[in-house]
Amino acid sequence: MEILLLLFLLLHLCCDLLAVKHSLKYFISGSSGVPNVPEFSGVMVVDGIQTGYCDSSNKTLKPQLDWAKKILQTNPEQLEWYTQKCFEDQPNVFRGHIFRWKRRFNQSGGVHVIQRISGCEWDENTDSVTGVLKYGYNGEGFLEFDLKTLTWIALKPEADMIKLKWDADRTRTMENEDFLTQTCAEWLKMYVDNGKRSLHRTVLPSVSLLQKTPSSPVSCHAAGFYPDRVMMFWRKDGDEIHDGVGKGDILPNDDGTFQINVDLNVSSVKPEDWWRYECVFQLLSGENIIVTKLNETMIRTNWRENIFGTGREKPSDMTVPIIPAVVVLVLIIVAAAAGFAVYKKKKGERFRSNSARLSYIISVLPYVLNMVILNLCKRVG
């Protein structure tokens, strides 16, 4: 029985890893009292990649990927829909929302922002679709649409009256249901099909070990990977660990790739045990595993440079050339003095006193110092 249960869990895990999910999200913002910011703006994101943008101030509708541009060129009905939503319908709707919601909160002037997230997620294996529609006001959740009950959920007491009003509006409810479960899914499938070359690609990251100060955690940082469905963790002796580990969020880069970091507190780790720890990056597909050993000489910091591969602090930039420079100075002075003595001896002359030797050495010091300065410059540069 236990074996059957274990096999079932493994099968379930494999199915989750092999599941291919795609998403289409619209992030909309409306604001008042915010200088130098469009009153209304919208961003379209497909599988975590920003694909299009519009704002009401510049009357800009900008598809940001080649395949998205081609879709608007070959589908005039979509171009018309986006144009109307960006420059006509939604700016007026959000303007009205802000006016009424300010009254709900007994607010007058100041800065106010409404945010809306809408869209859907499509499971390519099961063909199931889930939709999302949420409103936020001034940085906090406000209203959320429940697709199962086709009703609104008030996330703030001030949203109760709005919930009742929107629940009673059957036209609004049916339009929301149709867009989230039908239209959004159709468009998402079209976008995935047209953009599969870029959306289905696999890009492995560069993985680095970073540390801010000697007492800071060691951060395992992976940057430049795609897609964003990845696992990253620390393990010791081959087993994943959680104590002393802090995992960051997956964040987008400007080029459409992603980054993530996982920190390890090394304050209680003995230096002789560092080799037992390693950072693991893995795509959820189960392939392309990158393992990075916890190695002090590989840590990049802003407080030291491991130029000797020992982990010790790098000496000051000036200390490296100073010792050779002093040696050069002494050798040049000695050579100059010796040369002068030989020259005088050949001429049949002798030094009359130590003061004569000292006078000569002083006379050649400017030349010697000039040579030393040149030597220093070459070494420092």
Side-chain angles (χ1 to χ4, degrees):
M1 186 65 182
E2 293 179 355
I3 295 177
L4 291 176
L5 180 60
L6 179 59
L7 289 175
F8 174 78
L9 292 174
L10 289 175
L11 179 61
H12 181 71
L13 177 60
C14 290
C15 290
D16 286 343
L17 292 176
L18 294 175
V20 179
K21 295 183 178 180
H22 303 281
S23 63
L24 169 59
K25 299 287 179 63
Y26 298 94
F27 297 86
I28 311 297
S29 296
S31 63
S32 68
V34 185
N36 304 320
V37 173
E39 185 183 32
F40 174 85
S41 62
V43 175
M44 183 177 79
V45 178
V46 178
D47 284 358
I49 298 178
Q50 183 169 323
T51 308
Y53 168 83
C54 72
D55 72 63
S56 59
S57 297
N58 301 317
K59 297 294 182 181
T60 300
L61 177 61
K62 183 180 179 182
Q64 295 174 281
L65 299 176
D66 292 338
W67 60 265
K69 296 176 184 177
K70 187 176 296 185
I71 285 179
L72 293 186
Q73 291 171 356
T74 57
N75 293 269
E77 69 281 358
Q78 283 209 21
L79 177 59
E80 181 181 357
W81 187 87
Y82 282 114
T83 302
Q84 184 178 12
K85 292 295 183 182
C86 286
F87 308 134
E88 298 176 21
D89 293 353
Q90 295 303 301
N92 293 327
V93 169
F94 272 67
R95 199 176 294 117
H97 286 342
I98 290 179
F99 176 77
R100 288 185 291 272
W101 295 5
K102 284 167 60 176
R103 289 195 304 177
R104 293 285 178 191
F105 284 89
N106 294 319
Q107 298 166 336
S108 54
V111 173
H112 302 282
V113 178
I114 290 180
Q115 295 170 301
R116 187 182 73 195
I117 301 175
S118 62
C120 58
E121 185 177 79
W122 167 52
D123 190 319
E124 192 173 337
N125 291 335
T126 64
D127 202 36
S128 61
V129 177
T130 55
V132 59
L133 178 54
K134 298 179 180 179
Y135 280 91
Y137 182 60
N138 289 343
E140 296 182 333
F142 194 67
L143 282 161
E144 181 176 351
F145 188 63
D146 187 345
L147 264 173
K148 294 180 180 178
T149 62
L150 298 181
T151 59
W152 287 90
I153 302 172
L155 304 178
K156 285 282 186 180
E158 292 82 357
D160 288 338
M161 294 299 294
I162 300 174
K163 165 199 159 45
L164 295 176
K165 181 180 179 180
W166 287 6
D167 283 347
D169 188 343
R170 300 309 300 171
T171 301
R172 175 197 291 269
T173 299
M174 300 311 295
E175 287 178 350
N176 287 334
E177 181 188 23
D178 180 70
F179 180 78
L180 295 177
T181 61
Q182 301 296 325
T183 305
C184 180
E186 292 173 5
W187 289 3
L188 174 55
K189 293 175 183 179
M190 179 196 305
Y191 298 157
V192 170
D193 184 58
N194 283 268
K196 57 188 174 184
R197 179 171 297 180
S198 61
L199 296 174
H200 291 181
R201 75 189 191 280
T202 297
V203 181
L204 294 178
S206 60
V207 180
S208 306
L209 298 180
L210 311 174
Q211 191 178 34
K212 292 181 180 179
T213 68
S215 59
S216 299
V218 174
S219 179
C220 185
H221 182 73
F225 60 86
Y226 184 89
D228 62 345
R229 295 181 288 275
V230 302
M231 294 188 300
M232 193 168 179
F233 53 89
W234 282 96
R235 66 187 184 190
K236 177 183 178 182
D237 297 332
D239 296 325
E240 182 178 355
I241 58 175
H242 301 282
D243 292 341
V245 174
K247 186 174 181 179
D249 295 327
I250 297 177
L251 303 175
N253 296 320
D254 293 337
D255 60 358
T257 61
F258 299 90
Q259 60 175 296
I260 187 176
N261 64 277
V262 182
D263 296 340
L264 175 66
N265 187 348
V266 295
S267 59
S268 59
V269 179
K270 298 178 181 179
E272 59 268 23
D273 289 337
W274 276 42
W275 65 271
R276 301 170 64 185
Y277 294 82
E278 54 192 14
C279 172
V280 180
F281 174 93
Q282 182 177 6
L283 297 173
L284 284 184
S285 60
E287 302 175 353
N288 301 314
I289 301 176
I290 300 177
V291 178
T292 305
K293 288 282 188 181
L294 180 59
N295 188 329
E296 188 177 8
T297 63
M298 301 301 294
I299 296 177
R300 297 167 56 187
T301 74
N302 55 5
W303 57 274
R304 71 179 181 189
E305 292 180 23
N306 295 315
I307 58 171
F308 301 115
T310 62
R312 296 192 297 271
E313 290 190 24
K314 174 184 175 182
S316 169
D317 288 338
M318 289 301 295
T319 62
V320 176
I322 280 178
I323 295 177
V326 172
V327 173
V328 170
L329 172 61
V330 174
L331 290 177
I332 290 177
I333 292 176
V334 172
F340 181 75
V342 171
Y343 172 77
K344 288 294 185 180
K345 187 175 182 180
K346 286 184 178 180
K347 293 292 185 178
E349 299 179 12
R350 295 179 177 272
F351 287 111
R352 293 184 176 84
S353 67
N354 290 332
S355 62
R357 295 188 182 92
L358 181 61
S359 297
Y360 173 74
I361 293 174
I362 292 175
S363 68
V364 300
L365 270 179
Y367 170 78
V368 173
L369 290 175
N370 183 57
M371 294 293 295
V372 171
I373 291 173
L374 288 176
N375 182 271
L376 283 174
C377 291
K378 288 180 180 179
R379 291 175 177 271
V380 173

